């Protein structure tokens, strides 16, 4: 099978006619190369290098998840950009951040995650400041990821998986007091507030929500 370049972008390229074997070989070869993201969808392979804004916002949203779970005393298993793939679906991708929360007890002590046997991450953070040529949401849906947070630099959308399709939600299904509006407010504060100071403000707000719900 001959690979064909069908599109080039500033941050990456999209190839078609790529076999699953080639995709897995590239995953192995690039395993130690930080900053390269592969997305595979039934023969199409996208190779991207995330930008600085991309990395900044994925870290901030990840710290939101970690702060909320810590304040709620909820155990999580943080697996970053874990490669989520299933050969039977001919699909695979690497989230910007991913977390096991409801299923944390199933995977916390595993060295390797196999989505043919193990559940998918409960929550995925997706930064879309540079648009992908592949519909990554459809890949998450096919893998059965229950919740996705997607931020494009201006808008934050919370998605919940229902009947194999994503529906937009105003609040997080996992953390019901955590709304799209409030998270966006803190993301916008990042433009004028340093990172640790922002997380302190976020934690204070989370504590206030927990106390008001008691």
């Amino acid at each position: 099978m001959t690979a064909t370049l069908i599109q080039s972008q500033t941050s990456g390229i999209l190839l078609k006619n790529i076999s699953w074997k080639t995709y897995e070989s590239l995953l192995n070869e690039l395993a130690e190369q930080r900053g390269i993201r592969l997305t595979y969808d039934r023969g199409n392979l996208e190779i991207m290098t995330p930008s600085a804004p991309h990395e900044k916002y994925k870290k901030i949203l990840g710290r939101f998840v970690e702060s909320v779970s810590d304040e709620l005393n909820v155990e999580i298993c943080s697996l970053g950009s874990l490669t989520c793939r299933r050969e039977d679906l001919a699909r695979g991708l690497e989230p910007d951040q991913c977390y096991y929360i409801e299923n944390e007890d199933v995977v916390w002590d595993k060295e390797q995650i196999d989505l043919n046997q193990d559940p998918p991450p409960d929550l995925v953070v997706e930064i879309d400041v540079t648009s992908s040529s592949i519909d990554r949401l459809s890949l998450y849906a096919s893998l059965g990821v229950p919740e996705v947070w997607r931020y494009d630099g201006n808008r934050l959308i919370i998605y919940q998986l229902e009947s194999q399709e994503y529906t937009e939600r105003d609040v997080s299904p996992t953390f019901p007091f955590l709304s799209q509006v409030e998270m966006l407010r803190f993301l916008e504060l990042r433009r004028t507030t340093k990172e640790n100071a922002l997380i302190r403000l976020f934690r204070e707000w989370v504590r206030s929500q927990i106390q008001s719900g008691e």
Side-chain angles (χ1 to χ4, degrees):
M1 186 175 291
T2 303
T4 305
L5 176 66
I6 59 175
Q7 184 175 345
S8 64
Q9 299 178 349
T10 302
S11 59
I13 59 173
L14 179 64
L15 305 170
K16 69 176 183 178
N17 298 326
I18 302 298
S19 69
W20 181 264
K21 183 178 180 180
T22 299
Y23 166 58
E24 289 205 314
S25 295
L26 284 170
L27 285 174
N28 292 330
E29 290 176 11
L30 298 174
E32 303 303 320
Q33 299 292 322
R34 304 181 70 179
I36 297 178
R37 185 171 68 175
L38 303 180
T39 302
Y40 185 84
D41 184 11
R42 297 164 296 186
N44 291 328
L45 176 66
E46 183 177 63
I47 306 172
M48 297 188 75
T49 54
S51 64
H54 178 281
E55 296 297 281
K56 175 174 68 176
Y57 288 118
K58 85 165 189 179
K59 186 63 178 177
I60 291 295
L61 279 168
R63 291 188 71 177
F64 286 178
V65 176
E66 293 150 19
S67 297
V68 171
S69 61
D70 188 35
E71 294 295 333
L72 289 171
N73 198 27
V74 171
E75 286 291 350
I76 63 173
C77 181
S78 309
L79 288 175
S81 297
L82 169 75
T83 299
C84 299
R85 67 187 188 272
R86 279 180 48 182
E87 185 176 1
D88 60 321
L89 300 175
R91 286 176 154 183
L93 76 170
E94 295 149 3
D96 292 314
Q97 300 279 9
C98 71
Y99 300 89
Y100 283 88
I101 305 168
E102 182 177 347
N103 288 305
E104 177 272 340
D105 196 50
V106 178
V107 302
W108 73 272
D109 59 347
K110 291 193 173 185
E111 291 297 323
Q112 298 292 333
I113 305 295
D114 181 356
L115 295 191
N116 291 300
Q117 304 172 3
D118 300 313
D122 295 300
L123 172 61
V124 157
V125 172
E126 182 79 0
I127 306 301
D128 196 27
V129 291
T130 302
S131 297
S132 172
S133 300
I134 294 176
D135 182 0
R136 290 169 61 86
L137 271 182
S138 71
L139 270 67
Y140 289 128
S142 68
L143 294 170
V145 175
E147 181 175 355
V148 177
W149 296 356
R150 191 176 194 179
Y151 181 61
D152 67 1
N154 294 297
R155 187 181 180 208
L156 175 71
I157 305 175
I158 298 171
Y159 292 101
Q160 182 179 15
L161 188 64
E162 294 183 335
S163 301
Q164 299 182 321
E165 293 185 355
Y166 284 111
T167 302
E168 292 187 28
R169 296 297 182 204
D170 293 329
V171 298
S172 166
T174 305
F175 306 111
F177 66 83
L178 195 56
S179 70
Q180 173 265 343
V181 171
E182 288 297 335
M183 282 197 288
L184 186 58
R185 178 171 71 87
F186 281 103
L187 285 169
E188 290 176 347
L189 273 176
R190 179 65 179 90
R191 305 177 195 277
T192 57
T193 308
K194 293 184 178 181
E195 186 171 323
N196 283 340
L198 176 67
I199 297 303
R200 285 193 293 271
L201 290 173
F202 181 74
R203 279 184 176 269
E204 290 171 6
W205 176 81
V206 169
R207 290 179 194 133
S208 72
Q209 298 304 299
I210 294 171
Q211 291 170 359
S212 65
E214 292 178 350

